[in-house]
Amino acid sequence: MQTLGYYDGHYDEIDRMTIPMNDRVHWFGDGVYDAGPARHYQIFALDEHVDRFYRSADKLDIRMPMEKEDLKALLREMVCKLDADSQFVYYQVTRGAGPRTHTFSEGPAKLWIMLTPQTMADGRTPIQLITAEDTRFFHCDIKTLNLIPSVMASERAKQAGCGECVLYRPGGRVTECAHSNVSILQDGALYTAPTDNLILPGITRAHLIRACETLGIPVHEEAFSLDALYAADEILVTSSSKLCVRADRIDGKTAGGRDPETFEKIRRFMLDEFLEMTEPWGKTI
Ligand code: PLP
């Protein structure tokens, strides 16, 4: 298969899949998701992603339709059906299907999976950023399907020829990006926002912190301002689709680029870890 879509036990090429209109995703975006890369049919950091997926569902009282281990086995099975060595593995759960009432439907929850070919970049090419006020709600720690502010911010970045939009709250506290976390290097140390309700606890952010700790780079999980971002030695953007990439422009002005050695150590470490954790193991499970 060239792509794979799965819904509630059925799967096919994505374009051939149809979804019942009364799935609550259509009325309310009532669900949560998670996603990460795979290479050599090996899903990267699967335990961490699946743990976060179940935590997100739990925070919204969505009862998962299967146990964690069964989901992992299903994802591994589906990944092997795609004719692509490198993939992006996306999955979501919606509360269920039923008439449009705000209160919960009876369930059961519906599991969705989407697999598409995608190769991991090596992080050598810097990206450009814009900034925008973070107008999202106060549950950004839950990976919900309600993504309109992120969609708007991403489109604004694209229109400006940029790869991401950095979000800040009134007062100037940088939270994260539309679909990535953002951290800075300053005087040889990493600064990254704390995992409160204003940011998604990124799996790649956690790998970045562990990489810095292993490399002897001090880590400060504390909020930083837009001014600190503009003045940072390096600006690091992390996500499951891009791992770790640096930014060299913000809002049209040159930024970062003052500590390339430290960035290179981090980039190499994280890429090597990804390559090691996705070593070939054959297409069978
Ligand atoms: N922050 C937001 C808002 C995101 O949507 C994402 C990824 O989708 C991230 C951060 C990065 O998270 P991860 O590293 O787990 O992909």
Side-chain angles (χ1 to χ4, degrees), residues 14 21 90 170 198 209 213-214 246 265 278:
I14 293 169
M21 188 168 170
Y90 175 101
L198 298 183
I209 289 174
E213 287 168 350
T214 308
R246 72 179 185 89
K265 276 190 220 159
T278 54

Side-chain angles (χ1 to χ4, degrees), residues 33-34 49 52 127 129 134 136 140-141 143 150 163-167 173-184 190-209 221 224 229 234-247 270:
Y33 74 107
D34 221 293
H49 281 281
R52 183 176 64 184
I127 62 167
L129 305 171
D134 192 344
R136 300 174 303 164
C140 299
D141 52 322
K143 208 162 163 55
S150 299
E164 253 293 13
C165 178
V166 179
L167 304 172
R173 173 189 158 176
V174 171
T175 51
E176 56 181 337
C177 296
H179 46 87
S180 322
N181 291 111
V182 62
S183 308
I184 56 175
L190 181 84
Y191 291 80
T192 190
T195 50
D196 55 16
N197 65 326
L198 298 183
I199 73 159
L200 183 80
I203 303 299
T204 324
R205 172 191 172 280
H207 283 245
L208 169 66
I209 289 174
E221 289 191 67
F224 57 87
L229 180 82
E234 296 289 353
I235 300 155
L236 311 187
V237 175
T238 54
S239 71
S240 293
S241 53
K242 299 220 164 41
L243 282 186
C244 183
V245 65
R246 72 179 185 89
M270 292 181 72

Side-chain angles (χ1 to χ4, degrees), residues 55-221:
R55 272 200 308 277
S56 290
D58 192 47
K59 285 182 180 182
L60 297 184
D61 293 329
I62 293 175
R63 274 186 291 136
M64 295 301 275
M66 61 180 72
E67 299 296 324
K68 276 185 194 177
E69 291 311 314
D70 296 329
L71 174 64
K72 289 180 206 172
L74 177 64
L75 289 170
R76 290 192 188 104
E77 184 191 329
M78 290 296 134
V79 158
C80 291
K81 295 187 187 302
L82 210 68
D83 299 320
D85 182 64
S86 291
Q87 309 176 20
F88 200 65
V89 183
Y90 175 101
Y91 34 102
Q92 66 183 31
V93 65
T94 53
R95 192 179 302 281
R100 186 188 180 281
T101 52
H102 285 67
T103 52
F104 294 178
S105 54
E106 283 296 310
K110 305 291 185 192
L111 178 70
W112 309 44
I113 302 170
M114 179 172 64
L115 304 178
T116 45
Q118 185 172 305
T119 310
M120 181 61 76
D122 66 8
R124 282 181 206 272
T125 311
I127 62 167
Q128 292 74 49
L129 305 171
I130 58 163
T131 59
E133 187 173 327
D134 192 344
T135 57
R136 300 174 303 164
F137 63 1
F138 295 102
H139 304 281
C140 299
D141 52 322
I142 310 173
K143 208 162 163 55
T144 80
L145 297 171
N146 307 114
L147 292 171
I148 288 299
S150 299
V151 166
M152 300 307 289
S154 300
E155 180 60 24
R156 280 180 60 187
K158 185 180 161 195
Q159 297 293 336
C162 294
E164 253 293 13
C165 178
V166 179
L167 304 172
Y168 59 89
R169 292 283 175 180
R173 173 189 158 176
V174 171
T175 51
E176 56 181 337
C177 296
H179 46 87
S180 322
N181 291 111
V182 62
S183 308
I184 56 175
L185 286 175
Q186 191 63 56
D187 302 322
L190 181 84
Y191 291 80
T192 190
T195 50
D196 55 16
N197 65 326
L198 298 183
I199 73 159
L200 183 80
I203 303 299
T204 324
R205 172 191 172 280
H207 283 245
L208 169 66
I209 289 174
R210 291 205 292 274
C212 288
E213 287 168 350
T214 308
L215 293 166
I217 299 165
V219 174
H220 303 281
E221 289 191 67

Side-chain angles (χ1 to χ4, degrees), residues 33 48 51 112 242 274 281:
Y33 74 107
E48 291 163 79
D51 282 348
W112 309 44
K242 299 220 164 41
F274 171 74
W281 60 295

